[in-house]
């Protein structure tokens, strides 16, 4: 997994939450009920990430899958070598 792709995806997800939350906190009604603004910001952030962050998520998922496959191959190679040496 590339650390850069995971960092970019995480940063974009945080921005998708904090930007709407910051805008909603400008309204006096939502400033008094910050928990409601947080819920709305979470829903907006989830929607934005599902619509616009599909490619960064695919990059992170692909990287994780490749890393997992590499570990499995390394573990199976070690098992074969151990069995051959016995």
């Amino acid at each position: 997994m590339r650390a850069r792709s995971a960092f970019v995806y995480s940063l974009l997800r945080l921005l998708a939450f904090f930007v709407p939350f910051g805008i909603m906190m400008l309204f006096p009604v939502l400033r008094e009920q910050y928990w409601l603004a947080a819920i709305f910001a979470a829903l907006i952030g989830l929607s934005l990430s599902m619509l616009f962050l599909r490619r960064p998520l695919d990059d992170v998922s692909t990287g994780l899958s490749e890393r997992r496959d590499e570990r499995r191959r390394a573990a199976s190679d070690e098992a074969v070598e151990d069995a051959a040496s016995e």
Side-chain angles (χ1 to χ4, degrees):
M1 176 179 75
R2 297 182 188 132
R4 183 178 184 269
S5 62
F7 177 73
V8 168
Y9 179 69
S10 299
L11 182 66
L12 290 173
R13 284 291 308 257
L14 286 171
L15 285 174
F17 172 77
F18 282 114
V19 170
F21 183 72
I23 292 171
M24 283 188 263
M25 291 307 289
L26 295 175
F27 298 112
V29 174
L30 291 174
R31 194 177 304 148
E32 292 175 7
Q33 298 178 350
Y34 62 90
W35 57 271
L36 192 58
I39 291 172
F40 287 149
L43 292 174
I44 291 169
L46 177 66
S47 301
L48 289 174
S49 67
M50 289 177 68
L51 290 173
F52 299 113
L53 298 181
R54 189 171 306 245
R55 185 162 184 231
L57 177 61
D58 287 342
D59 292 343
V60 172
S61 299
T62 303
L64 286 172
S65 175
E66 290 172 356
R67 187 174 177 184
R68 184 183 64 222
D69 291 342
E70 288 175 5
R71 285 188 179 174
R72 283 185 184 168
R73 275 186 261 139
S76 65
D77 289 345
E78 291 174 3
V80 170
E81 290 172 1
D82 290 343
S85 66
E86 291 178 0

